[in-house]
Amino acid sequence: MSEKDVFNYTAYVGLDWADSKHDVCIQTPESGKREFAVVPHSPEALDDWVNELKSRYGGPFAVGVELSKGPIVSVLQKYDFVVIFPINPSTLAKYREAFQSGRAKDDPTDAEIAVDLLIRHGHRFKPLKPQSAEIRALATLVERRRQLVGEKIRITNRLRPSLKQYYPQILAWFDHIDTPLFCAFMRRWPSLTQALRARASTLKKLFHEQHMYREVVIERRIVAIENSVPLTDDEAIIAPYRLTAEVLVDQLELVLEAVACKHPDYALFKS
């Protein structure tokens, strides 16, 4: 944005976002007077506010905000007369320091500072030009999947200690516990006592249903199960830890299902 571009916008808006409400500051190019308001964070309130600005100032108008994505950005991107200028939080903080006078009552708000930055230094900021919906959706899917993988690790890190308290053998039977096969086994036999009652044919059937066909591995597991001895018979220990393990397995199954990406272009972005 060059010096002459300053007057291409009918209004400049600084937005200090929060979870429940947003502080805003508004200034027109022709006036040095600034207006302040608070807008509740709800789709209806934000829609009313943006349309009120449109009716008052026409458009387009520039909005400075600390975010390049998130709910408030998603709201503003709906309107073709709103141009979003993401401002780095560190830039805003440094600019704020130049104004602060010991936290006096007349210190400018972040919303007002955002307006000042746009008007005085607008050429230093680039308007947000989002990529296509497909690319943005893909980026979000990758980010969400990464977070779910982290959640999977957190769940299994909690699950292992619970199993060690009453059912440690299962950790030796399976090389990995973050698999649908392990979850299916735990759902069917959540304690050693229950596993010992299972017939070899029933155990083998479950392994086959979960696409485990390595007969050597299956036989080794069946033998290990049949020769296992309970760590404890104390229900005061078994019951609470089994309940905890079952809850964690429920969570793990949901996360594993979500992590198993079914996007048609998964092979392209897997790396």
Side-chain angles (χ1 to χ4, degrees):
M1 188 161 52
S2 65
E3 295 292 337
K4 65 179 182 179
D5 288 331
V6 169
F7 294 97
N8 286 343
Y9 296 100
T10 59
Y12 290 86
V13 180
L15 194 150
D16 185 11
W17 67 277
D19 287 338
S20 59
K21 54 90 177 177
H22 310 292
D23 295 311
V24 297
C25 175
I26 306 167
Q27 180 177 335
T28 60
E30 300 82 7
S31 171
K33 184 179 179 181
R34 293 175 177 175
E35 298 180 20
F36 298 89
V38 176
V39 183
H41 181 70
S42 73
E44 296 78 14
L46 287 166
D47 186 66
D48 289 343
W49 172 67
V50 172
N51 284 312
E52 181 187 353
L53 290 181
K54 173 67 173 177
S55 64
R56 290 177 61 188
Y57 303 113
F61 49 86
V63 178
V65 63
E66 290 181 87
L67 301 170
S68 59
K69 61 180 180 179
I72 186 63
V73 174
S74 298
V75 169
L76 296 175
Q77 284 180 325
K78 294 191 302 182
Y79 308 97
D80 56 9
F81 52 86
V82 174
V83 182
I84 304 171
F85 288 87
I87 300 176
N88 192 296
S90 62
T91 300
L92 200 66
K94 291 177 181 178
Y95 203 76
R96 187 191 310 115
E97 291 175 2
F99 285 94
Q100 282 184 335
S101 56
R103 294 188 178 181
K105 290 184 178 180
D106 57 350
D107 281 347
T109 65
D110 283 355
E112 186 175 6
I113 292 173
V115 167
D116 205 71
L117 280 167
L118 286 179
I119 292 176
R120 295 176 183 273
H121 308 284
H123 61 285
R124 299 183 182 275
F125 302 99
K126 293 182 179 180
L128 182 63
K129 294 182 179 179
Q131 296 173 303
S132 67
E134 292 79 8
I135 294 298
R136 285 185 285 120
L138 181 58
T140 301
L141 282 170
V142 172
E143 181 183 349
R144 296 293 101 182
R145 186 179 187 277
R146 189 181 301 117
Q147 292 179 347
L148 286 169
V149 170
E151 185 62 26
K152 179 186 70 173
I153 294 172
R154 284 188 289 272
I155 292 172
T156 55
N157 285 344
R158 293 168 59 196
L159 180 56
R160 283 191 183 91
S162 295
L163 293 171
K164 288 179 180 179
Q165 294 294 327
Y166 82 103
Y167 197 8
Q169 294 91 343
I170 196 171
L171 297 172
W173 301 338
F174 294 91
D175 296 329
H176 304 284
I177 67 172
D178 56 345
T179 65
L181 171 59
F182 176 85
C183 292
F185 191 98
M186 271 291 296
R187 272 191 172 278
R188 189 75 177 271
W189 302 290
S191 72
L192 180 59
T193 301
Q194 292 165 298
L196 289 172
R197 295 173 184 159
R199 295 179 180 179
S201 59
T202 305
L203 291 166
K204 185 176 292 188
K205 180 181 178 182
L206 180 129
F207 289 132
H208 288 172
E209 288 174 347
Q210 294 298 318
H211 312 292
M212 161 54 74
Y213 300 106
R214 295 168 61 190
E215 295 301 325
V216 173
V217 176
I218 293 174
E219 291 300 328
R220 186 168 64 242
R221 284 175 176 166
I222 292 174
V223 171
I225 293 169
E226 292 174 343
N227 289 280
S228 295
V229 176
L231 175 70
T232 177
D233 295 323
D234 188 352
E235 279 298 315
I237 294 174
I238 295 174
Y241 283 108
R242 183 180 63 202
L243 177 61
T244 300
E246 289 176 319
V247 170
L248 291 171
V249 167
D250 287 345
Q251 296 175 7
L252 183 58
E253 278 192 313
L254 291 173
V255 171
L256 290 175
E257 183 179 347
V259 168
C261 183
K262 298 179 177 62
H263 195 280
D265 295 325
Y266 176 64
L268 296 176
F269 64 85
K270 181 179 180 182
S271 62

